[in-house]
Amino acid sequence: MDAKCPECERPATVDDNMEYVKCPHCSFEADYESYLEIMKDKALNMAADYIPKRPGF
């Protein structure tokens, strides 16, 4: 299974047991739970960039 590398944004590999993510293109390596946290933080940061700043809210 493939996953998106959070560092170089190219395909990374997830092992068959869904326990480890490793990118063959750069030096990124992490266990799957850490990978999910990294990607969650990236998604939240991207979402925050698109929330308009409205006065009074």
Side-chain angles (χ1 to χ4, degrees):
M1 174 185 263
D2 288 339
K4 184 176 182 178
C5 177
E7 291 185 3
C8 70
E9 299 187 0
R10 294 174 74 183
T13 5
V14 181
D15 69 351
D16 292 335
N17 297 328
M18 300 288 287
E19 294 176 356
Y20 203 72
V21 179
K22 183 175 182 178
C23 180
H25 308 286
C26 68
S27 61
F28 179 78
E29 295 183 13
D31 63 83
Y32 192 68
E33 293 297 321
S34 298
Y35 170 77
L36 290 178
E37 287 298 317
I38 292 167
M39 294 307 282
K40 182 177 83 171
D41 289 342
K42 287 181 72 90
L44 290 173
N45 288 337
M46 286 173 39
D49 290 343
Y50 292 106
I51 298 173
K53 306 278 191 271
R54 297 187 306 185
F57 289 95

